[in-house]
Amino acid sequence: MCRLLATAGSIEQKQLSSILKCFRKLAHTGIVPGEEVPGHKDGWGIGWHTQGMDFMEKYSSDAFVDSRYLNLLSKIESPNFLLAHLRKASVGGVATKNSHPFYLDGWYF
């Protein structure tokens, strides 16, 4: 079971950064039904659309300790749409290819 966060419409950089920092904490504290150990440490990704362009970064690491997560926040400016993901592996191994979001023909999944 994973955690997803989506935003649509205009949002200020400072506010978005604050939201994504709070979301990041779920990588260590997110409760998973039927699991003794909380957290979503098996990968993360963020995809966004801004100024007519699509961007995406995703990794097979723990977002809570991965410095790339915080570094990425400064690059995300005025997105019209954003989808963030924290992964708790269920099917498929811990690998970047199994981290979301996925992007195809102008759509984020």
Side-chain angles (χ1 to χ4, degrees):
M1 178 176 295
C2 299
R3 294 292 178 253
L4 293 171
L5 171 74
T7 66
S10 117
I11 187 168
E12 292 181 20
Q13 163 70 22
K14 186 175 179 179
Q15 185 180 19
L16 179 62
S17 182
S18 177
I19 291 167
L20 287 169
K21 285 177 184 175
C22 288
F23 180 68
R24 175 179 174 247
K25 293 176 187 175
L26 292 175
H28 272 230
T29 63
I31 302 297
V32 179
E35 297 279 334
E36 292 181 21
V37 180
H40 300 80
K41 303 174 185 181
D42 300 323
W44 65 275
I46 302 176
W48 70 99
H49 180 87
T50 186
Q51 299 178 359
M53 298 178 67
D54 294 295
F55 301 90
M56 184 169 53
E57 291 196 29
K58 58 185 186 174
Y59 302 95
S60 60
S61 55
D62 178 349
F64 193 76
V65 297
D66 189 340
S67 63
R68 292 174 293 194
Y69 186 97
L70 292 178
N71 292 337
L72 180 59
L73 301 186
S74 65
K75 297 179 185 177
I76 303 171
E77 294 184 20
S78 304
N80 303 79
F81 174 80
L82 179 135
L83 182 61
H85 171 256
L86 300 173
R87 183 168 191 253
K88 174 82 167 186
S90 55
V91 176
V94 177
T96 300
K97 69 178 184 175
N98 293 328
S99 294
H100 298 247
F102 300 108
Y103 178 82
L104 179 65
D105 296 331
W107 292 89
Y108 287 96
F109 299 90

